[in-house]
Amino acid sequence: MDMDMDTTPAGIPAEGPGRRVTTLELFFDLVFVFTLTQLTVLLAHGLSFATAGRVALILVVLFWMYGAYAYLTNQVPPDRPSRRLLLMLGMTAFLVCALAIPRVFEDTGVVFGLGFLLVVVVHTALYTRSHGWDSVWYGVPNALAALSVTAAGATGGLAADGLWLLAVALQFATPFVAEHGPGRKDGRDAATLRVQLGSLDPAHFVERHGLLLIIAFGESVISIGVGIGDVPLTPGPVAGAFLALALAVALWWTYFVRDEEAAEAVFRGTPAPRRWRLAMNAYYYAFLPMLLGIVFLAAGVKKTVGHLGDHPHWGPALALAGGVALFLAGDTAFRTALGLRPVRYRAVACALALLTAVPGTRLPAYALLLLLVAVLTGMLAAEARWCTTAPAGRRPAGV
């Protein structure tokens, strides 16, 4: 196997000091977040349960491959011209996918699928630099998922939705195929594989996903400007912009004040064979609702912030309340996966945020924004009080 990484005698990548995310990786993330922008556009143009479901399907498929690239560059840094050029080609493929999103279920589905297939091919080519031909156990299921999405673009209706669901099923099966593929029945080989899969740089991995999240929050800020548009900047719209920004800031506080530092500490304390599954649970399955929540929140802000005195229809109200609830549900799952405390305040706030959609259709838009800000502020205040009164052994890292 051709290995580009420093390894131990057993062929297991050695864990060195934590490294920083490179500017090229950050550039890659900026391009990926454009897919979130386009998902917000798709959702805002038709706020319905059917559109929301399709937006969720697209994000699940796209974020799987984003996670694959984040894991890839953690193990294969883009520190050589050939790797940088391939990563840029992957960026271009993600851009093609993003451009096709607004009409992906109409006439650009095949373009999306072909762009996504290129995303997979580039990833597999780069992944061979760390795992050699074992990469086929990732590349083949991912390619089949991309072909399924491409086929969905050539069909329509329920058949297309079914093919998208097939792509998701193939992606979810990929880790099991990779871990238990043919030729891996020997116990020592399986153990070595688990160590290789879990040989993550905790500092880089946690920082990479944190940067993605902060860039994604930028989408909610952009939505404030788009939602206000040409409305005169009287005290009302300015107050609405302040409330929408306060909502985004409260969500930022929810994750970045304690969770990121504590997550890195948990990863460092987890043996390599268990890091792979921990990374999947915390930074894929839990991160998905967090990112989807930001997309829903941005669509709701875009639809309401310019009309604060109006009573929002159920679509914008549910997008706002559901977006906050989804983010909190994901963050609750994130904390649970990593064993971080407390969790109950976020679970309760998730339910309360979703319930605000009920009075949200009967109140002016600014009242719904105030309710959501109040729910998040109360949650953060309760957690802060818990952190000052809980025994030292139960407090989060850094408290």
Side-chain angles (χ1 to χ4, degrees):
M1 181 187 301
D2 179 19
M3 301 288 285
D4 283 337
M5 301 174 61
D6 294 332
T7 59
T8 65
I12 300 170
E15 182 176 0
R19 63 181 179 85
R20 301 298 300 273
V21 174
T22 66
T23 53
L24 180 56
E25 291 171 285
L26 185 57
F27 195 0
F28 184 97
D29 293 354
L30 285 167
V31 174
F32 174 77
V33 169
F34 182 49
T35 65
L36 302 185
T37 302
Q38 294 289 75
L39 287 173
T40 300
V41 171
L42 177 62
L43 183 62
H45 281 177
L47 277 171
S48 67
F49 286 110
T51 304
R54 287 176 168 177
V55 164
L57 276 178
I58 296 170
L59 181 58
V60 168
V61 169
L62 285 173
F63 188 58
W64 171 260
M65 284 311 301
Y66 170 82
Y69 272 87
Y71 179 84
L72 165 73
T73 55
N74 186 277
Q75 298 208 328
V76 186
D79 54 5
R80 304 177 187 179
S82 60
R83 296 178 184 178
R84 292 180 186 131
L85 289 172
L86 280 172
L87 195 59
M88 290 175 185
L89 183 59
M91 289 167 54
T92 304
F94 266 120
L95 180 62
V96 171
C97 293
L99 292 172
I101 283 174
R103 301 196 312 277
V104 69
F105 288 96
E106 298 172 13
D107 57 2
T108 60
V110 173
V111 174
F112 179 97
L114 293 176
F116 192 66
L117 182 60
L118 181 58
V119 167
V120 171
V121 169
V122 171
H123 173 266
T124 305
L126 275 167
Y127 205 63
T128 60
R129 309 314 299 164
S130 64
H131 287 70
W133 290 107
D134 279 347
S135 303
V136 69
W137 302 114
Y138 297 89
V140 170
N142 286 337
L144 290 174
L147 291 173
S148 181
V149 170
T150 306
T155 59
L158 292 177
D161 293 336
L163 286 166
W164 275 89
L165 287 171
L166 175 60
V168 172
L170 286 166
Q171 289 179 335
F172 280 19
T174 299
F176 300 98
V177 173
E179 290 182 75
H180 307 290
R184 290 190 179 138
K185 296 180 180 180
D186 179 77
R188 291 179 301 170
D189 290 344
T192 300
L193 175 67
R194 284 193 293 271
V195 174
Q196 287 178 336
L197 291 172
S199 59
L200 296 166
D201 181 329
H204 176 273
F205 195 75
V206 172
E207 182 188 20
R208 179 75 185 274
H209 286 83
L211 288 172
L212 172 70
L213 201 59
I214 198 66
I215 298 170
F217 277 130
E219 171 58 28
S220 60
V221 176
I222 293 171
S223 295
I224 296 173
V226 174
I228 290 180
D230 297 328
V231 174
L233 288 179
T234 56
V238 171
F242 172 80
L243 286 174
L245 183 60
L247 196 55
V249 168
L251 291 177
W252 168 87
W253 196 296
T254 299
Y255 177 83
F256 284 98
V257 168
R258 295 192 185 95
D259 287 10
E260 192 171 39
E261 179 184 351
E264 183 178 340
V266 170
F267 263 95
R268 289 197 179 279
T270 301
R274 291 166 47 199
R275 281 185 189 171
W276 160 251
R277 185 54 55 187
L278 182 63
M280 286 287 297
N281 291 338
Y283 285 99
Y284 179 70
Y285 297 118
F287 247 59
L288 261 174
M290 294 169 73
L291 290 173
L292 189 61
I294 292 174
V295 170
F296 277 42
L297 175 63
V301 166
K302 188 179 293 186
K303 285 291 189 179
T304 57
V305 75
H307 311 280
L308 287 177
D310 299 341
H311 292 201
H313 296 295
W314 68 266
L318 196 56
L320 284 171
V324 174
L326 272 171
F327 185 93
L328 291 174
D331 193 61
T332 299
F334 178 84
R335 284 194 152 211
T336 301
L338 292 169
L340 303 181
R341 298 178 181 179
V343 172
R344 62 183 181 274
Y345 298 111
R346 304 195 179 197
V348 171
C350 172
L352 291 176
L354 188 58
L355 286 174
T356 61
V358 177
T361 58
R362 297 174 173 82
L363 298 171
Y366 69 81
L368 177 56
L369 289 171
L370 275 171
L371 280 174
L372 289 169
V373 171
V375 167
L376 290 173
T377 303
M379 177 198 75
L380 293 171
E383 283 190 356
R385 188 173 185 278
W386 181 90
C387 288
T388 59
T389 58
R394 299 180 63 195
R395 296 178 192 172
V399 175

